[in-house]
Amino acid sequence: LVPSQNLMVLGSETFLYSEGMISGGSPGMRFSEIAINQMRNALTTLGSLVRPEGLSQFANTVRSSILLYTAGLTHADLLDRLSYSVASAEKLLLRHSAESPAFKVAERMPILLSQEPDLSASDAAFAVREAYRLIARRELSPLAPYQRDAALLFSQNVNRILKVALSNLNSVSSIQEFV
């Protein structure tokens, strides 16, 4: 991903548009102290996952799932990112390898996200089904807008599941208990 900028200036008799790469390297991230204080607990919990030694089975699974999810974010292709998101979700939502991944993820994800005010269970389940369908047919054709939306919603939902898992890191010891 290349950092770029688009600049548009509109005036009563003026129009100027330019685009280009951001100079001086990639832009940094800046957070206010208030935002950092709000994220402090999450950052502390994430920090506890850096070293795998001494982690519970569940904490180690959450760590692996986060690593998969974030590795996927580095890919430019949406279907590559989606594949990593699916793998991350499966790691957190499947009890064992004999379970049907598409069915169980579609069943469990909406339950874990039921407290999200802006998400319906049917939308979450549709996004899961569409994600698995897109991965299975990834070489066939360009994505339609609704397919892109479903893929992005699925990835956002995996992010939400990771947050739920992080918030339960100290109270849950296994995937079976989490699911």
Side-chain angles (χ1 to χ4, degrees):
L1 302 175
V2 178
S4 63
Q5 64 184 4
N6 296 306
L7 175 66
M8 184 184 306
V9 178
L10 297 172
S12 60
E13 296 180 17
T14 316
F15 174 80
L16 173 66
Y17 178 79
S18 68
E19 60 183 85
M21 289 181 32
I22 295 176
S23 61
S26 60
M29 292 176 46
R30 295 184 183 168
F31 296 104
S32 68
E33 286 216 27
I34 293 170
I36 288 173
N37 287 333
Q38 291 172 345
M39 294 186 297
R40 190 170 310 282
N41 287 340
L43 292 172
T44 301
T45 304
L46 278 172
S48 71
L49 297 175
V50 171
R51 298 190 61 129
E53 296 85 14
L55 294 178
S56 69
Q57 181 239 354
F58 180 67
N60 204 26
T61 302
V62 171
R63 179 182 190 273
S64 298
S65 186
I66 290 171
L67 290 172
L68 275 170
Y69 182 76
T70 56
L73 295 177
T74 64
H75 292 271
D77 181 54
L78 179 63
L79 291 177
D80 289 338
R81 290 194 310 263
L82 183 62
S83 295
Y84 279 86
S85 291
V86 166
S88 177
E90 288 177 355
K91 209 152 198 33
L92 279 177
L93 299 176
L94 297 180
R95 290 185 179 128
H96 49 76
S97 60
E99 288 187 307
S100 169
F103 178 74
K104 289 300 182 182
V105 171
E107 177 183 64
R108 293 173 180 153
M109 185 177 278
I111 293 169
L112 285 170
L113 297 177
S114 63
Q115 301 302 313
E116 294 287 329
D118 61 336
L119 182 69
S120 74
S122 61
D123 287 346
F126 171 76
V128 172
R129 289 190 305 274
E130 193 63 25
Y132 278 93
R133 194 179 72 71
L134 288 171
I135 289 171
R137 62 166 286 281
R138 71 181 297 133
E139 303 298 327
L140 294 180
S141 63
L143 298 180
Y146 81 91
Q147 292 170 321
R148 293 184 66 77
D149 291 346
L152 293 172
L153 177 61
F154 180 81
S155 291
Q156 288 172 344
N157 289 344
V158 173
N159 184 293
R160 292 171 172 165
I161 291 291
L162 289 168
K163 289 178 183 176
V164 171
L166 280 172
S167 68
N168 287 287
L169 200 62
N170 296 324
S171 60
V172 175
S173 61
S174 69
I175 286 295
Q176 290 77 10
E177 190 179 336
F178 178 67
V179 173

